[in-house]
């Protein structure tokens, strides 16, 4: 690797922890931090194309509402949507804009940005989406996605 | 708290919402949203605040007659907020004549009961597309 390459890698390596630190510096409550963790796992499972990890983030009776597509209301449907969607390679970031918790319910407003490399053409498509996600606390205390609805900024 | 559909003060506000849209009454419509509302129009950046919402609304209200219907499919209430999802169908007829435009899709609305006891729309997002719940 040439020196500019090393410099770029070093810069990125330094910036990533700084970005994460900035995110954790916000004064989230324990519930909000749990939801931030869920958002981060949503991002990781999307980028890894991990169907089961993604589906596990949803409550059993969740409804997933993507624009221009039928609502998904079953775990089987979630697996099918994920299996189809994850053929394309995502490189996205999901940033929480706000998280509000009230009893067993919470909602988050998030912004999704990045790119998706379309299978099989290799076309790279920009992603600029805004979402509202409703979360429900399960009996075990874990938060799960109950409703997810989004639309595009483009 | 139930999750099948709202049966709260927010339910009555939903009917006022539909009526305001179908009457093309921008002031009544804007009065249904919170001062700090965040509204997610499809294909555009989030609108923040009642004033921004009303500015976005005005060109539509002045140019079209609306026939909007909402079909709620689920929701829940907790303390001073309530959320609801469902489907919408709307027909927009140009005031000056011309072909009508039809839209359908899903919506999510978050109502908040404010300090004056009135429920107002706090967050809203819709997605045009398949309308089944």
């Amino acid at each position: 690797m040439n020196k500019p390459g090393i410099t770029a890698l070093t810069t990125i390596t330094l910036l990533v922890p700084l970005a994460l630190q900035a995110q954790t510096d916000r004064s989230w409550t324990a519930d909000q931090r749990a939801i931030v963790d869920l958002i981060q796992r949503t991002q990781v499972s999307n980028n890894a194309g991990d169907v089961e990890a993604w589906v596990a983030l949803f409550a059993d009776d969740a409804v997933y509402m993507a624009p221009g597509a039928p609502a998904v209301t079953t775990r089987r449907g979630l697996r099918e949507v994920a299996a189809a969607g994850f053929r394309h390679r995502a490189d996205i970031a999901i940033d929480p804009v706000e998280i509000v918790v009230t009893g067993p319910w919470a909602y988050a407003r998030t912004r999704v940005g990045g790119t998706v490399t379309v299978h099989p053409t290799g076309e790279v498509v920009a992603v600029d989406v805004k979402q509202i996600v409703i979360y429900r606390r399960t009996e075990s205390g874990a938060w799960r996605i109950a409703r997810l609805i989004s639309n595009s900024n483009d | 708290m139930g999750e099948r559909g709202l049966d709260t003060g927010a339910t009555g506000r939903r009917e006022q919402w539909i009526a305001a849209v179908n009457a093309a009454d921008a002031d009544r419509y804007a009065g249904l949203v919170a001062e700090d509302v965040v509204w997610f129009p499809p294909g555009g950046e989030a609108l923040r605040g009642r004033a921004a919402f009303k500015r976005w609304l005005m060109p539509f209200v002045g140019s079209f007659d609306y026939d909007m219907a909402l079909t709620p499919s689920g929701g829940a209430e907790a303390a001073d907020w309530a959320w609801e999802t469902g489907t919408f169908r709307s027909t927009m007829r140009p005031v000056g004549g011309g072909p009508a435009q039809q839209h359908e899709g899903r919506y999510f609305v978050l109502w908040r009961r404010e300090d004056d006891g009135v429920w107002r729309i706090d967050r809203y997002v819709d997605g045009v597309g398949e309308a089944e719940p």
Side-chain angles (χ1 to χ4, degrees):
Chain A
M1 185 179 288
N2 60 24
K3 195 168 180 179
I6 293 170
T7 304
L9 181 61
T10 305
T11 305
I12 290 167
T13 307
L14 288 171
L15 285 176
V16 167
L18 285 173
L20 290 173
Q21 183 63 41
Q23 206 165 42
T24 54
D25 276 350
R26 297 173 72 161
S27 53
W28 300 117
T29 65
D31 280 327
Q32 287 172 321
R33 283 198 301 274
I35 290 168
V36 168
D37 178 64
L38 194 57
I39 291 168
Q40 289 174 339
R41 283 189 282 144
T42 309
Q43 174 182 310
V44 168
S45 59
N46 263 281
N47 289 340
D50 188 334
V51 172
E52 289 306 319
W54 186 77
V55 172
L57 303 172
F58 289 80
D60 286 340
D61 57 350
V63 181
Y64 175 72
M65 295 170 279
V72 179
T73 59
T74 64
R75 296 193 87 71
R76 181 179 175 180
L78 287 172
R79 285 193 179 88
E80 290 172 355
V81 163
F86 290 170
R87 289 181 306 139
H88 315 295
R89 186 163 52 81
D91 182 9
I92 59 167
I94 307 176
D95 296 316
V97 178
E98 63 174 341
I99 298 172
V100 177
V101 179
T102 304
W105 296 96
Y107 76 88
R109 185 159 59 92
T110 63
R111 181 153 196 156
V112 185
T115 60
V116 169
T117 304
V118 177
H119 174 82
T121 64
E123 180 189 4
V124 177
V125 178
V127 175
D128 186 8
V129 168
K130 46 197 182 307
Q131 295 181 323
I132 288 184
V133 186
I134 291 281
Y135 302 91
R136 191 177 60 223
R137 196 197 321 261
T138 63
E139 289 183 3
S140 71
W143 290 93
R144 291 288 180 268
I145 297 168
R147 300 288 186 278
L148 189 156
I149 186 165
S150 61
N151 67 27
S152 174
N153 289 327
D154 298 324
Chain B
M1 185 191 314
E3 205 187 339
R4 285 194 301 275
L6 297 177
D7 185 18
T8 71
T11 309
R13 297 291 274 173
R14 185 206 305 135
E15 298 309 313
Q16 293 173 29
W17 176 20
I18 295 168
V21 173
N22 289 340
D25 189 330
D27 289 332
R28 274 169 55 198
Y29 196 176
L32 287 161
V33 307
E35 183 68 39
D36 57 351
V37 67
V38 181
W39 189 280
F40 283 12
E45 294 285 338
L47 305 166
R48 294 177 180 81
R50 182 185 290 152
F53 169 74
K54 194 171 179 183
R55 279 196 300 273
W56 170 78
L57 189 65
M58 289 307 289
F60 298 104
V61 169
S63 305
F64 297 94
D65 289 328
Y66 278 82
D67 181 6
M68 184 182 82
L70 300 177
T71 305
S73 59
E77 181 183 348
D80 289 331
W81 60 278
W83 62 267
E84 181 177 274
T85 56
T87 58
F88 71 89
R89 294 177 192 276
S90 71
T91 302
M92 300 165 62
R93 294 183 178 82
V95 171
Q101 302 174 30
Q102 295 194 326
H103 302 279
E104 60 182 37
R106 284 180 294 274
Y107 72 91
F108 165 91
V109 60
L110 181 79
W111 297 90
R112 190 177 80 223
R113 185 166 45 205
E114 299 193 295
D115 292 344
D116 60 1
V118 176
W119 291 90
R120 293 188 178 86
I121 296 173
D122 195 43
R123 301 288 183 267
Y124 175 85
V125 56
D126 66 45
V128 174
E130 305 282 340
E132 64 267 38

